[in-house]
Amino acid sequence: MPATEIQTYVGRFAPSPTGPLHFGSLLAAVASYLDARHANGRWLLRIEDIDPPREQAGADIEIIEALDRYGFEWDGPVTYQSSFRERHREAVERLLRSGWAYPCTCSRRDLAQAARGPLGRIYPGTCRSGTRQSDDVAVRVRTTDEAICFTDRLQGAQSQRLESQSGDFVILRRDGLIAYQLAVAVDDAEQGVTDVVRGLDLLPSTARQIHLQRLLGLPTQTYAHVPLVENTDGSKLSKGTGATPIPLDRAPTTLLATLAALRQRPPKSLSGAPLPAIWDWAVEHWDARALAGQRNIALQHYC
């Protein structure tokens, strides 16, 4: 009888180059990295540069340098999502040929009065049955109201009904750029990613990605969404709310603060320790269960 093949854990960190890393993005990177290394798995670094209007020149280099200064070690070369455009387009064409996707001429103004749901404006299906010929179109994927259910390792059971909660969503934008949901579904599968550990703000995207995975015959990853770091006013820490870059000259101290924010309880004996010693302790003692059910982390407690 052949031995059972054990699937190797493959994780990834996939930042968008819209600015330097801040404490919230560092927290997600550390959680993803430790989850992979604790499982003796691989950890990939992918720059998600598919939205040039939002990107900041040189941000990718800043992100890579910061991760390197903090002692992250990724497997294989850094990849750039923009280099995968051909396979993204092939996925769109497959969905168009199968009838699961269709061109849409609706503008934001056309949809201004559409009802809002938990995932934003609900597309009313205006172009589902066809539209006028035009070169200025987006491409949407058809949804159904069958519940898409999955269990998040940290946030528990999840369920979404896409047709009534978001409607058919865009997979290729009017400006010709690929949409995030499709690019992530395709690239995670292509790179063999088995486990996705990322911020809680991306939890609402998961059902849409699973929908695309099913339509394209791609595997579904195991998901774990870590809590978000909040400003004192309760808003999410982000570049848009004034998040400052992580300090490159205080990596050990900041890494210890990140571990504390992740409820890993690093011992006082690590204070003043070099980065390799901190990482060795963190990999050995990583316990994702400490974050179960947690949704927010107050920034002022750690920085």
Side-chain angles (χ1 to χ4, degrees):
M1 182 176 179
T4 302
E5 183 177 347
I6 300 175
Q7 187 177 35
T8 302
Y9 181 120
V10 180
R12 49 78 161 172
F13 180 55
S16 299
T18 54
L21 291 182
H22 55 73
F23 189 68
S25 46
L26 176 64
L27 185 142
V30 169
S32 171
Y33 185 76
L34 292 178
D35 208 60
R37 294 305 190 219
H38 185 74
N40 294 315
R42 300 176 66 234
W43 190 73
L44 312 179
L45 177 56
R46 183 175 75 217
I47 304 297
E48 298 201 328
D49 58 334
I50 55 170
D51 193 357
R54 295 182 59 244
E55 293 164 16
Q56 186 180 106
D60 59 324
I61 302 302
E62 289 185 76
I63 290 170
I64 294 168
E65 179 185 357
L67 292 171
D68 183 59
R69 291 280 288 272
Y70 272 71
F72 290 88
E73 297 178 351
W74 46 90
D75 295 294
V78 179
T79 57
Y80 283 75
Q81 205 165 38
S82 61
S83 66
F84 306 142
R85 287 193 182 99
E86 184 175 344
R87 69 188 186 205
H88 299 157
R89 289 281 185 160
E90 288 174 354
V92 172
E93 290 300 324
R94 282 182 57 193
L95 292 169
L96 285 167
R97 289 195 301 269
S98 69
W100 275 104
Y102 58 89
C104 173
T105 59
C106 295
S107 66
R108 289 186 179 180
R109 180 180 297 180
D110 295 331
L111 302 176
Q113 302 304 314
R116 294 192 70 89
L119 302 178
R121 294 205 180 278
I122 302 171
Y123 183 67
T126 309
C127 296
R128 254 191 171 193
S129 300
T131 186
R132 66 182 185 279
Q133 289 294 322
S134 174
D135 294 328
D136 184 23
V137 296
V139 174
R140 291 183 182 271
V141 67
R142 296 180 189 273
T143 57
T144 73
D145 230 24
E146 178 184 354
I148 295 179
C149 303
F150 64 98
T151 300
D152 187 272
R153 286 172 53 202
L154 301 180
Q155 307 301 331
Q158 306 292 321
S159 178
Q160 285 184 11
R161 296 182 184 273
L162 292 178
E163 188 172 15
S164 58
Q165 292 184 295
S166 77
D168 302 344
F169 57 93
V170 171
I171 56 174
L172 183 68
R173 293 170 18 177
R174 292 166 70 97
D175 58 9
L177 296 176
I178 204 72
Y180 167 78
Q181 311 293 1
L182 183 131
V184 168
V186 169
D187 294 340
D188 281 347
E190 184 71 22
Q191 294 187 287
V193 173
T194 62
D195 291 72
V196 173
V197 179
R198 59 187 180 186
L200 187 62
D201 55 327
L202 292 170
L203 180 59
S205 295
T206 307
R208 281 171 281 186
Q209 291 163 21
I210 291 173
H211 181 57
L212 289 169
Q213 291 161 359
R214 292 173 178 175
L215 294 180
L216 292 166
L218 305 176
T220 293
Q221 290 73 41
T222 298
Y223 294 95
H225 288 85
V226 300
L228 298 178
V229 179
E230 286 189 343
N231 293 303
T232 53
D233 62 359
S235 62
K236 173 198 166 188
L237 180 70
S238 67
K239 301 174 185 76
T241 59
T244 57
I246 56 174
L248 300 186
D249 57 347
R250 300 196 305 276
T253 302
T254 307
L255 178 56
L256 285 172
T258 307
L259 293 173
L262 289 168
R263 296 188 171 185
Q264 299 304 296
R265 301 175 182 264
K268 292 182 179 179
S269 60
L270 285 178
S271 180
L275 272 173
I278 297 172
W279 279 121
D280 286 347
W281 179 91
V283 169
E284 180 180 354
H285 294 89
W286 171 247
D287 184 8
R289 294 171 300 179
L291 295 170
Q294 187 178 4
R295 301 183 66 85
N296 303 302
I297 292 172
L299 175 65
Q300 69 269 25
H301 292 169
Y302 304 98
C303 296

